[in-house]
Amino acid sequence: MKELSDTELAQLLDKDIFHLISQTADELGVECYVVGGYVRDLFLERPSNDIDVVVVGSGIEVAKALKEKLGKKAHLSVFRNFGTAQVKYRDTEVEFVGARKESYRHDSRKPIVEDGTLEDDQNRRDFTINAMAVCLNEGRFGELVDPFDGIGDLLYGCIRTPLDPNVTFSDDPLRMMRCIRFATQLNFYIDEDTFEALERNAERIRIISGERIADELNKIMMTATPSKGFVDLQRCGLLQLIMPEIELLDVVDTRNGRAHKNNFYHTLEVLDNICKRTDNLWLRWAALLHDVGKPKSKRWDPAVGWTFHNHNIIGAKMVPEMFRRLKLPMDTKMKYVQKLVELHMRPIVIADEEVTDSAVRRLLNDAGDDIDDLMMLCEADITSKNQIRKQHFLDNFTIVREKLEVLKLKDFKRLFQPCIDGTEIMQMFGLQQGPEVGVLKKYIKDAVLDGKVENNPETLRQLLIEKYQQMQA
């Protein structure tokens, strides 16, 4: 963080857009301040083109007058229901709002809004680091107004509410998600009183829509170390309310002196691992959910200890309901996550044994275009503290990747997808759709994948005839 004087702030705001806003506000005789995230990011040295401006008066009127100054290259959008207006000019967006004070009903996060002073507006802000304002009027250009010592909290890396955190979170429970999101994005700690208010008000999250929660979760997922956010969500009690399936991973059972690993912390380690290699949000979701089926599949087997058989299949079946509840997209993105959750054990099983061409062909056939993402997920999933075993897996993954590259040089769909389909099989033997057709399809598919026969119609028809005769015998 960089400490800035008012003079230095004025120099950083020495841009045409800010001087035009300043002139416009002075001409209209109103106070005008740049506020919120833009000010915070000036101190954090994170450049931004999204500017929030508070006007002690009508923000809409200032926006209209600014649009006139900027001419045809600027675009104005007015949202009268919210008392806001937006001016887009080149690569910059300026959001104008009149200073206001807010009050809330217990059953809604939608505030009752009244005109207010700058002090009222800063009081309603979510966190001290977002409550700073810098004056844009010519006489006070660059002057910082920081009533809650947001600068101090930036300096010490602290997330804290301007007023009583219980009121802040009860009024608008989405601020609880934002609190954890900011702490994760900025790698800050949450003030003790603020964190205790998260715990006390966690149940209030129930009035927030799935879309709003998912939006904050996605922002946490896109940070460098999302595990920090999920640990905070769990510690304050929010995780069990919004994603109970992930909360259930945090258990270690012991029987006859044998314990399994904590799958919650393992999952977060896998998530952080994948984040070092990709910005693909949905691959990160696959990492978070890859073991979500383990609590339902957990069994004790005296011969081998704790088992989680088919947890990948069970987890894949859980994905649609979780996406639906959180209002995440139910399109190809959900199917992609579901597919990776279902397949994530396949490369690991291959890498734990002799890496055969047949097994790699099957993996490539089933994963298709997502094979590279699947391999990345599986490599992130190797979190064993046993360095010898970990290296064994990684070495075998290298062999798997080499074999995959060889196969990908060929047209694997042409080579490995049988050129005779179910319709032709039904025509060959006069069958109706049913189990027999499925058996025959699987038989020739296995033969092709195992490299026992060439993938051509004549060979496969002969193979089908022989198999069908055996089935009728």
Side-chain angles (χ1 to χ4, degrees):
M1 176 194 158
K2 185 176 182 180
E3 294 191 63
L4 301 168
S5 66
D6 288 356
T7 300
E8 289 171 318
L9 279 171
Q11 290 172 347
L12 288 173
L13 297 175
D14 186 17
K15 300 176 181 178
D16 289 345
I17 189 67
F18 289 114
H19 288 298
L20 284 170
I21 295 170
S22 176
Q23 292 170 19
T24 305
D26 284 346
E27 288 169 6
L28 294 174
V30 294
E31 292 179 39
C32 189
Y33 301 84
V34 59
V35 296
Y38 191 90
V39 177
R40 177 195 70 224
D41 289 344
L42 283 177
F43 288 94
L44 293 175
E45 300 181 82
R46 304 194 316 177
S48 172
N49 290 327
D50 294 331
I51 303 166
D52 290 325
V53 172
V54 163
V55 177
V56 184
S58 172
I60 293 175
E61 293 308 311
V62 175
K64 285 180 176 179
L66 177 66
K67 164 67 173 73
E68 291 302 313
K69 286 183 183 296
L70 293 170
K72 293 181 180 179
K73 292 183 179 179
H75 176 74
L76 172 68
S77 300
V78 176
F79 309 98
R80 292 200 176 276
N81 288 346
F82 299 98
T84 65
Q86 182 187 73
V87 176
K88 290 186 179 181
Y89 180 67
R90 295 177 180 166
D91 60 347
T92 300
E93 294 184 8
V94 187
E95 190 89 22
F96 290 88
V97 64
R100 60 193 185 185
K101 55 183 176 181
E102 299 175 342
S103 57
Y104 290 80
R105 298 187 305 273
H106 188 72
D107 60 345
S108 173
R109 62 179 291 265
K110 294 180 180 179
I112 300 167
V113 179
E114 304 173 70
D115 291 341
T117 63
L118 175 66
E119 181 182 3
D120 291 326
D121 202 88
Q122 290 178 298
N123 286 342
R124 72 178 183 84
R125 299 278 162 174
D126 50 7
F127 308 110
T128 59
I129 61 172
N130 296 332
M132 297 180 289
V134 178
C135 189
L136 295 179
N137 295 94
E138 185 178 1
R140 297 168 54 207
F141 193 84
E143 179 184 311
L144 177 67
V145 183
D146 183 19
F148 305 109
D149 193 25
I151 291 297
D153 288 339
L154 278 179
L155 188 62
Y156 291 106
C158 175
I159 302 294
R160 182 170 59 90
T161 60
L163 303 179
D164 182 348
N166 287 296
V167 175
T168 298
F169 294 147
S170 181
D171 280 350
D172 184 356
L174 185 63
R175 289 169 175 166
M176 294 189 288
M177 296 294 300
R178 286 170 56 82
C179 176
I180 290 171
R181 187 250 293 181
F182 278 120
T184 310
Q185 285 179 327
L186 301 174
N187 195 25
F188 281 15
Y189 75 93
I190 300 173
D191 165 74
E192 185 176 343
D193 289 340
T194 301
F195 193 87
E196 288 174 358
L198 287 175
E199 295 175 297
R200 282 192 292 270
N201 290 277
E203 286 286 337
R204 290 280 290 154
I205 201 67
R206 295 186 188 279
I207 72 168
I208 302 299
S209 69
E211 293 94 335
R212 294 285 187 167
I213 291 171
D215 185 51
E216 293 299 325
L217 283 173
N218 284 339
K219 290 174 181 176
I220 291 171
M221 292 286 276
M222 290 307 293
T223 62
T225 313
S227 61
K228 172 177 167 53
F230 282 94
V231 168
D232 281 343
L233 285 170
Q234 191 214 31
R235 286 175 55 226
C236 73
L238 282 169
L239 188 63
Q240 67 189 55
L241 297 170
I242 60 177
M243 297 187 75
E245 300 89 348
I246 302 299
E247 165 75 17
L248 287 173
L249 293 169
D250 185 23
V251 64
V252 176
D253 286 323
T254 303
R255 188 173 295 187
N256 295 348
R258 301 175 74 173
H260 60 79
K261 65 186 173 187
N262 185 306
N263 287 303
F264 176 70
Y265 289 101
H266 162 73
T267 290
L268 296 187
E269 187 175 354
V270 174
L271 178 57
D272 284 350
N273 285 344
I274 207 79
C275 292
K276 295 171 186 174
R277 300 185 59 184
T278 180
D279 289 332
N280 180 340
L281 171 63
W282 305 109
L283 181 49
R284 293 180 177 208
W285 270 101
L288 179 67
L289 302 182
H290 80 284
D291 276 351
V292 74
K294 279 192 170 180
K296 289 186 177 181
S297 66
K298 183 168 66 176
R299 300 289 184 274
W300 169 257
D301 182 338
V304 296
W306 294 103
T307 67
F308 302 92
H309 295 313
N310 294 322
H311 74 271
N312 54 315
I313 307 297
I314 293 169
K317 291 178 179 177
M318 295 168 66
V319 169
E321 174 52 34
M322 295 181 70
F323 266 54
R324 190 174 294 110
R325 188 180 71 240
L326 288 168
K327 301 298 190 293
L328 290 165
M330 297 298 293
D331 54 11
T332 55
K333 298 180 181 69
M334 183 279 290
K335 292 179 181 178
Y336 165 87
V337 173
Q338 187 178 34
K339 178 181 181 180
L340 293 188
V341 170
E342 182 172 349
L343 293 178
H344 82 271
M345 290 299 295
R346 290 276 295 280
I348 293 174
V349 171
I350 293 173
D352 200 23
E353 302 168 353
E354 182 184 354
V355 182
T356 65
D357 287 352
S358 173
V360 175
R361 282 195 197 99
R362 291 171 182 275
L363 177 64
L364 183 54
N365 178 74
D366 292 342
D369 293 338
D370 299 318
I371 185 65
D372 290 333
D373 289 352
L374 177 63
M375 291 299 296
M376 195 186 307
L377 172 61
C378 293
E379 286 163 348
D381 196 15
I382 306 303
T383 63
S384 173
K385 299 300 182 285
N386 183 327
Q387 291 303 313
I388 295 175
R389 180 164 173 76
K390 185 174 183 177
Q391 195 58 49
H392 163 75
F393 274 112
L394 293 175
D395 290 345
N396 276 10
F397 271 137
T398 300
I399 297 172
V400 173
R401 280 191 176 276
E402 289 171 352
K403 288 182 179 289
L404 284 169
E405 287 306 312
V406 171
L407 290 173
K408 282 194 290 185
L409 290 174
K410 306 172 183 178
D411 180 357
F412 74 87
K413 289 185 178 178
R414 177 177 59 80
L415 288 172
F416 305 140
Q417 290 288 350
C419 57
I420 293 179
D421 61 15
T423 301
E424 187 171 347
I425 292 172
M426 289 189 285
Q427 291 172 348
M428 282 181 64
F429 303 110
L431 298 173
Q432 298 295 316
Q433 193 167 9
E436 282 184 309
V437 178
V439 170
L440 291 167
K441 281 178 63 178
K442 185 176 186 304
Y443 183 69
I444 60 171
K445 180 177 180 179
D446 287 346
V448 170
L449 290 172
D450 290 337
K452 294 178 180 177
V453 296
E454 292 184 10
N455 189 9
N456 62 66
E458 294 77 14
T459 303
L460 293 186
R461 287 193 190 101
Q462 184 58 42
L463 199 65
L464 282 166
I465 291 169
E466 293 172 4
K467 180 63 176 177
Y468 185 71
Q469 289 173 346
Q470 291 175 12
M471 292 168 63
Q472 301 305 307

